[in-house]
Structure formats: structure tokens, C-alpha cells
Amino acid sequence: MESITLDAVDLQLLAALQRDASLSNQALAALAHTTPPTCLRRVKRLRDAGLIEKQIALLNPERLATSLGHGLTAIVEITLDRQDAEALERFEARVADETAVQQCYRVSPGPDFCLVVHARDMPGYQALTQRLFTADANVRNVKAFFSVKRSKFGAELALA
């Protein structure tokens, strides 16, 4: 990945894509006040530089609830017995492979990790805890906080 210098147009493109990555190239070019070919080239450059990691669709959990149920969201604090680099990386690799773990943060001070987990129901959450935490002899403490309402959700980074 190359290191690049960002100008005002790059920042406008990144800001617009954070809000709606489904914008057509023409619409994106209009928002950034540039031509479509220039816009396409710049977005490719931003992607190649690793500034755009991936594009995803954010699903509406309330609307999906009628089909799939509300599910269960938990913020889980994990403390390990050993915190050497290998042990931390091994734990990160385990949770990275688990689709129910939506986010994983290595934190300090306090617990070693905070996870955002989504499970279909409490038995699904219990099965997840067995796979990730109970079976791992290095996990010393697990503390879960269950969400009763999502009042804000986003992934937009401040660019200014």
C-alpha cells in the first residue's frame, strides 16, 4: 500500500462514501465537484492505498426482526491470564474467525479486549461463549453487557 497525500477532493470523496457507498460514480463526482473519470481514478487510488478498506451494506435490525427475530447484542469484556504478544494475537485470531463477533478491540487499562457480539438468542450466545471463552484456558474473566436498545450506530470517521 502506497502512502498518499490527501487533498480537499479526496476528503470529500471519502466523506461521501462513508455516508453512502452505493452512490454512482456520476453522483459522487457531482458531490465532489469533479468529472466522473477523475472521480473514478481518485476512488481507485484511495482504494489501492488502503484508505477504503471495504464497502458493505448496513442492515436495519428492526426491519429484519420480523423475519429473523431481534437477536441479542452484547458488549463483552475479556481478561486473559497471559497478555504476551502471542497470547493476545492468538485470541484475536480466534474471534476474527467467528461471524457472531462483529467488532473486537484490544483495550487498556482494564480488560484486555472488548467485543461487540450478535447472537440469534441466548442459547446461541451461550454456544458462542463455550467456543470462544470456556474452551480457552487463557481466558480468565468474561463480563457481558446486553443491549436493550441501540440508540446510535455508525462507523463514520471524522475527516476534518
Side-chain angles (χ1 to χ4, degrees):
M1 281 185 275
E2 64 176 286
S3 175
I4 65 171
T5 302
L6 300 176
D7 63 14
V9 173
D10 293 325
L11 293 174
Q12 284 179 310
L13 291 170
L14 289 170
L17 287 169
Q18 281 192 112
R19 286 188 297 278
D20 185 358
S22 71
L23 290 170
S24 70
N25 184 58
Q26 287 74 16
L28 190 57
L31 285 173
H33 308 289
T34 188
T35 66
T38 299
C39 179
L40 198 59
R41 197 169 37 253
R42 282 182 175 251
V43 170
K44 181 181 181 333
R45 183 174 136 262
L46 295 168
R47 194 172 283 115
D48 290 347
L51 297 176
I52 300 171
E53 191 171 328
K54 64 179 160 179
Q55 292 177 232
I56 61 170
L58 295 177
L59 305 181
N60 184 320
E62 294 300 317
R63 292 191 181 233
L64 280 171
T66 57
S67 300
L68 303 176
H70 283 280
L72 186 68
T73 301
I75 292 77
V76 184
E77 294 179 353
I78 305 296
T79 305
L80 302 179
D81 271 332
R82 295 176 316 284
Q83 290 86 13
D84 58 273
E86 184 180 323
L88 295 169
E89 289 170 10
R90 191 169 43 251
F91 182 80
E92 286 173 335
R94 286 186 63 188
V95 299
D97 289 339
E98 183 64 56
T99 58
V101 178
Q102 294 180 328
Q103 298 173 48
C104 174
Y105 299 93
R106 194 184 293 189
V107 297
S108 179
D112 298 308
F113 293 94
C114 284
L115 309 178
V116 177
V117 171
H118 188 80
R120 183 179 279 288
D121 50 25
M122 189 54 79
Y125 175 77
Q126 184 178 10
L128 174 78
T129 63
Q130 290 294 322
R131 285 191 308 273
L132 290 181
F133 314 138
T134 306
D136 187 342
N138 194 35
V139 173
R140 179 178 39 178
N141 191 37
V142 177
K143 186 175 184 181
F145 302 89
F146 296 96
S147 172
V148 294
K149 179 184 177 200
R150 181 175 90 170
S151 56
K152 181 179 179 181
F153 178 83
E156 198 169 327
L157 296 175
L159 297 174

